[in-house]
């Protein structure tokens, strides 16, 4: 075991594994530390991603969608939609972990990072603690990929920036993995401010007989909200289904941090707030940001300069690739948060019988083809009115 690692990655989710893969591929000595006893989600878990996703994501497809059912509070729409697929998150993590190992990277499980080792404001490594065991581990660069879900997440935010997520944008979620669901090739999304204020609920098909159903919203108790949602909605495909696993946590919807690196440290994925506010999508951003982080970290180490200034190359690259996505997502999210139920009903009414606009709305909600879907929608006068002045301004600006 090296006495000093090049790159220490805290967190073995998608962002951390992508960072470890990229840094180890670039020749860095990489150690990934995961707090739990396993990588990946606790059981199978499905993520809805664009069918344009890269090859890695395509290797983990669980279900290709044919349609998406949108449930506004008092109206429903079934949208013919083949641009989305449900991927098995655990499978993606397995593929990434195998590549980390192949490149010579090390993965330690049951290794919770308790704090960062700081010297004169520079991050020099991490302190891990589990049971009676504790250790300081030193490295040239630390990558915070601890996500945003739990109490031990977000080391960069809490210890370097000395902040927390803004409460008004902090959603809470619970998601069940369910067995004995009937098979359908559609995903369902529910907007209902009573059960999911500022958020939504969903049902996604996974592989045969499996489905995931979840809810996220502001100021909710997610466990009670999910049970109430399932009880009230009586979703047909879940009539005989039962949950066999649950995962809960928090999901910041405020958009990315204004700064994602410091001296000796970079943050990627949920820990950097790289989550699309409108729907909470983040898998693609985590993968890509992890990849950039790994490369920038190893280049900086090779040049002997791991200062914040040098590492800010990462910040520039990811913002130029998709910083605008988060900006658009946040403005639309804020606009639709006011009188949300009325707006979702009004949108469903305008979209009724207009398949092109329906697909553009689903794209916009999921963050796919964002700029073009928003422009398509804004050409319609009624939709422009529903979205409001701030959204229109955003598109008139450039
Ligand atoms: C309920 C839900 C549904 C979602 N659905 C979708 C979807 O359909 N499509 C989509 O694109 N995105 C979706 N997302 C978003 C997407 O899953 C996240 O953006 C993505 O998981 C972020 O990956 P990450 O690696 O940054 O964080 P995480 O996946 O949260 O991984 C963080 C890892 O770090 C570990 N960790 C935490 N603290 C420490 C510590 N102190 N020391 C060591 N390890 C630590 C955790 O155990 C975990 O393994 C969803 C998110 C949620 C919460």
């Amino acid at each position: 075991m090296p006495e000093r690692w090049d790159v220490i990655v805290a967190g073995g989710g998608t962002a951390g594994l992508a960072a470890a893969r990229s840094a180890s591929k670039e020749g860095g000595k990489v150690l990934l530390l995961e707090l739990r006893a396993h990588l990946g989600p606790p059981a199978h878990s499905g993520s809805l991603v664009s069918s344009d996703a890269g090859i890695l994501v395509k290797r983990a497809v669980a279900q290709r969608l044919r349609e998406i059912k949108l449930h506004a509070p008092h109206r429903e729409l079934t949208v013919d939609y083949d641009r989305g697929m449900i991927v098995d998150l655990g499978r993606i993590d397995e593929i990434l972990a195998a590549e980390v190992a192949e490149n010579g990277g090390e993965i330690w499980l049951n290794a919770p990072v308790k704090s960062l080792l700081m010297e004169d404001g520079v991050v020099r490594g991490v302190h891990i603690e589990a049971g009676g065991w504790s250790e300081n581990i030193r490295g040239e660069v630390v990558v915070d990929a601890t996500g945003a879900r739990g109490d031990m997440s977000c080391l960069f935010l809490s210890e370097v920036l000395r902040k927390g997520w803004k409460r008004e944008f902090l959603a809470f979620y619970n998601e069940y993995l369910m067995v004995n669901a009937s098979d359908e090739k559609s995903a369902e999304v529910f907007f209902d401010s009573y059960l999911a204020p500022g958020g939504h609920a969903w049902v996604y098909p996974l592989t045969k007989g499996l489905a995931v159903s979840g809810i996220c919203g502001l100021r909710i108790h997610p466990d009670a909200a999910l049970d109430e949602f399932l009880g009230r909605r009586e979703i047909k495909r879940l009539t005989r289904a039962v949950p066999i696993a649950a995962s809960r946590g928090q999901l910041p919807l405020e958009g990315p941090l204004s700064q994602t690196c410091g001296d000796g440290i970079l943050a990627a994925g949920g820990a950097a707030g790289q989550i699309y506010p409108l729907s909470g999508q983040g898998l693609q951003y985590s993968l890509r940001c992890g990849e950039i982080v790994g490369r920038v970290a190893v280049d900086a180490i090779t040049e002997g300069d791991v200062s914040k200034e040098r590492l800010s190359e990462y910040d520039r690259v990811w913002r130029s690739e998709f910083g605008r996505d988060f900006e658009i997502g946040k403005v639309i999210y804020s606009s639709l948060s006011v009188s949300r139920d009325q707006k979702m009903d009004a949108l469903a009414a305008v979209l009724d019988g207009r398949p092109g606009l329906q697909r553009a709305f689903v794209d916009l909600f999921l963050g796919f083809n964002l700029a073009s879907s928003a422009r398509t929608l804004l050409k319609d006068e009624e939709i422009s009115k529903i979205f409001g002045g701030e959204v229109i301004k955003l598109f008139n600006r450039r």
Side-chain angles (χ1 to χ4, degrees):
M1 181 179 87
E3 276 184 5
R4 195 180 170 91
W5 299 88
D6 290 330
V7 181
I8 298 173
V9 179
T14 319
L17 284 162
R21 175 179 72 158
S22 150
S24 55
K25 194 169 148 211
E26 296 288 328
K29 282 182 287 184
V30 176
L31 173 63
L32 181 143
L33 302 166
E34 166 55 46
L35 84 87
R36 294 171 304 157
H38 58 84
L39 297 175
H44 297 284
S45 177
S47 254
L48 174 51
V49 297
S50 161
S51 46
D52 297 337
I55 294 169
L56 166 70
V57 174
K58 286 195 174 131
R59 284 169 66 191
V61 176
Q63 194 69 253
R64 285 184 193 280
L65 296 176
R66 293 214 188 111
E67 54 185 32
I68 294 200
K69 293 181 183 163
L70 297 177
H71 302 261
H74 303 98
R75 283 175 179 270
E76 293 182 5
L77 282 179
T78 298
V79 182
D80 277 339
Y81 192 83
D82 59 6
R83 297 179 200 160
M85 55 194 191
I86 308 294
V87 293
D88 184 337
L89 275 183
R91 179 74 193 120
I92 293 181
D93 291 349
E94 278 166 24
I95 296 170
L96 289 169
E99 289 190 39
V100 173
E102 205 176 298
N103 298 339
E106 267 194 46
I107 295 174
W108 294 3
L109 302 175
N110 292 314
V113 174
K114 276 281 154 100
S115 58
L116 299 171
L117 296 180
M118 309 263 279
E119 287 168 11
D120 301 325
V122 181
V123 176
R124 303 285 188 194
V126 297
H127 176 71
I128 50 176
E129 231 176 86
W133 163 63
S134 74
E135 194 171 338
N136 286 344
I137 306 181
R138 299 179 76 83
E140 299 290 334
V141 171
V142 171
V143 175
D144 177 9
T146 53
R149 300 176 189 225
D151 296 342
M152 295 185 65
S153 304
C154 311
L155 297 163
F156 175 72
L157 178 68
S158 60
E159 294 192 32
V160 178
L161 301 183
R162 300 199 163 276
K163 288 185 183 160
W165 299 110
K166 292 181 187 137
R167 302 298 298 178
E168 66 270 31
F169 288 108
L170 192 59
F172 297 89
Y173 72 87
N174 189 20
E175 186 179 71
Y176 285 152
L177 170 69
M178 304 187 80
V179 290
N180 206 31
S182 34
D183 293 319
E184 287 186 26
K185 290 205 176 293
S186 63
E188 293 184 70
V189 179
F190 300 78
F191 302 98
D192 177 341
S193 292
Y194 170 71
L195 291 169
H200 61 283
W202 61 91
V203 179
Y204 297 161
L206 217 52
T207 42
K208 204 166 171 28
L210 288 178
V212 290
S213 179
I215 198 162
C216 80
L218 308 172
R219 306 175 300 277
I220 59 168
H221 189 301
D223 302 12
L226 182 55
D227 287 338
E228 194 172 347
F229 160 69
L230 290 171
R232 277 174 179 251
R233 284 291 177 159
E234 295 175 356
I235 298 154
K236 222 165 140 202
R237 76 175 86 179
L238 300 180
T239 313
R240 295 164 60 81
V242 290
I244 55 161
S247 77
R248 67 176 74 81
Q250 59 182 33
L251 191 64
L253 299 177
E254 66 184 68
L257 301 176
S258 57
Q259 175 190 335
T260 55
C261 63
D263 292 315
I265 187 164
L266 296 145
Q274 288 154 339
I275 294 166
Y276 179 64
L278 208 51
S279 55
Q281 304 295 106
L283 180 68
Q284 298 274 52
Y285 301 125
S286 295
L287 276 170
R288 179 66 187 129
C289 288
E291 190 181 328
I292 305 167
V293 150
R295 180 188 57 74
V296 170
V298 173
D299 285 354
I301 293 166
T302 309
E303 289 166 24
D305 178 5
V306 296
S307 65
K308 176 179 163 189
E309 199 182 15
R310 174 64 187 87
L311 296 177
S312 65
E313 179 192 340
Y314 158 65
D315 208 83
R316 284 193 297 279
V317 174
W318 77 254
R319 281 185 210 278
S320 77
E321 284 186 26
F322 39 76
R324 175 93 169 139
D325 288 14
F326 297 118
E327 193 188 356
I328 295 172
K330 187 163 179 194
V331 173
I332 298 178
Y333 175 77
S334 297
S335 154
L336 292 182
S337 293
V338 182
S339 311
R340 192 171 168 89
D341 285 356
Q342 288 90 324
K343 285 186 178 165
M344 295 316 295
D345 275 336
L347 271 171
V350 180
L351 297 176
D352 200 10
R354 302 167 81 183
L357 285 181
Q358 291 174 3
R359 280 191 286 274
F361 177 73
V362 174
D363 276 348
L364 181 85
F365 176 68
L366 297 174
F368 308 162
N369 308 315
L370 202 44
S372 76
S373 57
R375 282 185 200 287
T376 304
L377 289 162
L378 288 172
K379 278 186 200 146
D380 183 277
E381 215 172 296
E382 281 179 80
I383 296 177
S384 288
K385 268 195 216 143
I386 296 167
F387 280 172
E390 290 304 310
V391 179
I392 298 167
K393 246 193 267 168
L394 188 70
F395 283 89
N396 287 342
R397 219 176 57 200
R398 296 176 203 191

